[in-house]
Structures are given as C-alpha cells and as structure tokens.
Amino acid sequence: MVSWSLYAQSSLVIIKGKPATFSKSGAAIRSFCPVCGSGLFYTNSLSIPGRVDVQSSTFDCPEAFPPQAQVQVAERLDWVNHLPELPGYERYPGPDKIP
C-alpha cells in the first residue's frame, strides 16, 4: 500500500537530481529515484490528465498530509480490512518475534 498526494503537474518542481521513469503503456508514467529505487511520482495522461501523484511518504513531513480518500478499492484484498487487529512493531522485530 502507498499513500499519494495529488497536485497540478505544473506545480511539481524538482530541485535536485533527475528521476528515472518507467512506462509500459505510454499514458502511465512512474518516476523513481535512480539511486535508491524509491517511488516518487505517478502521472497518467488518460485517468488524471495534468495532475501528478506524489508518494506522500517521500515528504519531509508526511504526517501533514493525511489521506482524505481511498482509491482503487475494487482490488482491495480481504485481509486489508483486518490490519488494525494485527500486532504492530515500531521497528523490524527480531526473528523470534515474527509470527
């Protein structure tokens, strides 16, 4: 799962470096860091023309941009509805704690 923040494509300003891109269809373009591979942006000239989705986890303060909607729920797996019931770990647990 990933959270996105949608903006006008004209408002996106890259201040350092150049993202790598991947496109299978030509309409949808995924941009990512060529050094570490982190996803950065998504554009789609058919479904969100003139807009860019930015992966919120890449923001300096992602907490400032809480989700306001859920998209693509048609493909949601049933187990996603039960995530709040699962144990949570602040960091990766040792091998003895993984169920």
Side-chain angles (χ1 to χ4, degrees):
M1 287 179 268
V2 65
S3 62
W4 300 90
S5 291
L6 189 64
Y7 300 95
Q9 199 165 354
S10 60
S11 68
L12 178 67
V13 177
I14 299 170
I15 58 173
K16 185 177 179 183
K18 182 178 179 187
T21 60
F22 173 79
S23 178
K24 186 174 180 181
S25 69
I29 299 172
R30 298 180 186 282
S31 300
F32 56 95
C33 175
V35 176
C36 71
S38 293
L40 299 171
F41 321 117
Y42 173 81
T43 58
N44 190 315
S45 59
L46 298 177
S47 63
I48 53 169
R51 310 280 277 180
V52 59
D53 255 336
V54 180
Q55 285 194 16
S56 331
S57 61
T58 64
F59 293 159
D60 289 337
C61 188
E63 299 86 4
F65 302 90
Q68 297 181 15
Q70 298 179 59
V71 180
Q72 298 294 89
V73 296
E75 290 85 14
R76 177 184 286 165
L77 300 173
D78 287 339
W79 54 258
V80 172
N81 297 320
H82 305 287
L83 288 178
E85 300 166 16
L86 298 177
Y89 302 95
E90 289 186 21
R91 301 283 181 257
Y92 200 87
D96 58 322
K97 294 185 179 178
I98 299 174

